Amino acid sequence: MAAPCRTRTLQVVDTEFSADAVEWCPVEGWHSILACGTYHLRPPAATDSRGSNGACDRTGRLYLYHYNEEQPYIPLTEIQRIDTAAILDIKWCHIPIAEHPMVGIANSTGGVEFCHLSGSEKNSCRLEPCFRVDLGAQRLALSLDWSTGREQCGCPLRVISSDSEGKLNLFSIDESAPAVHVLNQWEAHKFEAWIAAFNYWDTDIVYSGGDDSLLKGWDTRRSPETPVFTSRRHSMGVCSIQCSPHRENLLATGSYDEHVLLWDTRNMKQPLADTHVEGGVWRLKWHPTCDFVLLAACMQSGFKILDCRGSMAENMEECVILSSYVLHNSLAYGADWSRLCPRDSVTAAQDPAAPCLPSEEPVGWSEEGEERLNVQVQNLKIIYESPTATFDVILDEESEGPALLVKAEGGPKLSGGSDLKGSFDLAAGPDRAGDPKSASSSDSGAKRPNRMGLDRSSDSASSLDSPKEMSIVATCSFYDNILHVWKWEMSLVTPSETPSTGSPAERRGESLH
């Protein structure tokens, strides 16, 4: 039986520009710090006297937030914003460098910038620039990864980055200075190299994925002309890769082909599992402590949480989708797990009857609230450019905007908390774990399979008393300019402790615990 799960929205923040990268600080003592990067395409300048059209300009902003669980309804507070070039990826080093947390930022000017966090107070710390590497003219830095994924010290500290020219760029970080040194740069893909990542268990090995639909492995001790392997298993561009920090030889990859593949790195000819998630997989993140849980940003179909136990231990051909956090009229891009250990403060602060409300009416939702918070956009010229460059379109937007826009400070608050976009999904197999198809903007949230939602009072009562895995998640989405912070809960009960109330067909679907 799959474990019952629940998602609950804690806060929704307007980032003004399209948000495409979000990362919680993994350094011990700084887990409450969150960074979010945005991407905006400025309209071209008016046609000049010679009749040539101006070029579009990519710009962005880096936000720094502090998360305070003592403020249950607005836990996230903005503490810094930096106007910069458009940001395509953000990654924190997992260990402090020169006694400070450090973050790497891949941007649209072809640079990877490194900033360290200064200040002793979490609610007033600041990011300060340290150094920068320019990958080359006329290119975008698309991704980066640190070699410290297992949070190990004493190993050479390295960064791998990919760019829009299809190249990989390997740096070393001198922790004593600190300073950065370029070790190597080589052509890995014929088109954009969307993603690059380390094997955290053997950091001489790196992986890359490109718009040529190829997944490649590289041994950085050898000549870069020849990859260790080349996989053609994905049918479209490979845009997400992450090595498991918990299990050696376990690798997750995602693609525009809407499939998440799990691999045993000792055999890259055939994946362990192939899960269709109904949206291009822009980011994958393993849970920081729960070794079988994988978070996927699935572009058109929102965010999904996968249970990979069956694929790792029982040779199941696909993972179970435990939960879906579905968005409307936007693309899911950035996603990350917090290492904070949350209390059940929001639930405790709400009316005890709240978990038993019908699933179609989440806490605090009303027609009046919807009418008050909806943003009407009439005849507004908007240039839409995805950081993946899959489409650049100028639209006359006449539809409603996001259903909820709440500022980090001073925004409207709804009664009972901002529990608006999350869904309460009991896992019943990948094809029944929440409807990814977007409904109208007046719908309250994700569709729930077989009405297994908050109206399942018996399940709610039993799950409230059972031990739970609780995590804070930050996600962000393109076009609606939204950063979401939400809580995910998974019951740790076993089938013998919780009798199934579903039909025989439903019980067969609940295949994994």
Side-chain angles (χ1 to χ4, degrees), residues 91-93 97 104 114 145-149 158-159 173 198 200:
K91 294 284 171 53
W92 293 91
C93 183
I97 298 177
F114 296 88
D145 192 25
W146 295 81
S147 60
T148 54
R158 295 181 176 179
V159 173
I173 305 294
F198 279 98
Y200 296 143

Side-chain angles (χ1 to χ4, degrees), residues 42-255:
R42 285 177 177 165
T47 303
D48 62 25
S49 59
R50 293 170 295 180
S52 60
N53 292 323
C56 293
D57 178 37
R58 298 180 182 92
T59 188
R61 186 175 294 144
L62 177 64
Y63 291 96
L64 196 67
Y65 298 97
H66 174 248
Y67 183 91
N68 183 3
E69 197 172 31
E70 300 301 323
Q71 302 172 354
Y73 297 113
I74 309 181
L76 208 63
T77 302
E78 180 185 332
I79 54 179
Q80 187 181 12
R81 63 172 63 188
I82 304 172
D83 289 325
T84 179
I87 294 171
L88 292 104
D89 197 15
I90 299 173
K91 294 284 171 53
W92 293 91
C93 183
H94 302 80
I95 59 176
I97 298 177
E99 301 182 351
H100 292 277
M102 181 171 286
V103 66
I105 304 159
N107 68 36
S108 61
T109 62
V112 179
E113 300 188 30
F114 296 88
C115 301
H116 73 258
L117 201 57
S118 65
S120 57
E121 296 296 327
K122 306 298 185 297
N123 59 359
S124 60
C125 56
R126 311 285 288 180
L127 281 173
E128 298 181 358
C130 287
F131 39 78
R132 170 190 169 102
V133 178
D134 289 308
L135 306 184
Q138 303 300 313
R139 69 183 66 182
L140 285 69
L142 296 177
S143 76
L144 76 149
D145 192 25
W146 295 81
S147 60
T148 54
R150 293 179 59 217
E151 304 181 22
Q152 71 277 28
C153 299
C155 298
L157 185 55
R158 295 181 176 179
V159 173
I160 188 72
S161 178
S162 65
D163 64 43
S164 58
E165 293 293 311
K167 290 182 171 60
L168 298 189
N169 310 270
L170 183 65
F171 319 135
S172 67
I173 305 294
D174 182 350
E175 299 181 57
S176 59
V180 61
H181 307 282
V182 178
L183 297 178
N184 206 348
Q185 183 182 71
W186 69 96
E187 184 173 341
H189 298 271
K190 293 182 180 179
F191 305 107
E192 291 92 340
W194 291 124
I195 188 70
F198 279 98
N199 181 330
Y200 296 143
W201 300 80
D202 180 358
T203 56
D204 290 318
I205 304 298
V206 297
Y207 307 108
S208 66
D211 209 45
D212 52 10
S213 307
L214 299 180
L215 168 66
K216 296 184 178 184
W218 309 87
D219 189 333
T220 59
R221 296 165 295 189
R222 302 180 186 175
S223 171
E225 283 79 19
T226 305
V228 176
F229 70 84
T230 299
S231 172
R232 294 174 172 80
R233 182 62 174 75
H234 282 292
S235 61
M236 298 179 71
V238 179
C239 43
S240 56
I241 302 172
Q242 194 178 43
C243 174
S244 170
H246 311 293
R247 291 177 176 254
E248 190 173 5
N249 305 314
L250 183 60
L251 184 72
T253 65
S255 165

Side-chain angles (χ1 to χ4, degrees), residues 13-19 39 330 402 405 477-483:
V13 179
D14 178 8
T15 57
E16 299 183 33
F17 297 156
S18 292
Y39 183 109
S330 63
L405 297 175
S477 49
F478 223 73
Y479 300 153
D480 60 358
N481 310 342
I482 292 294
L483 167 65

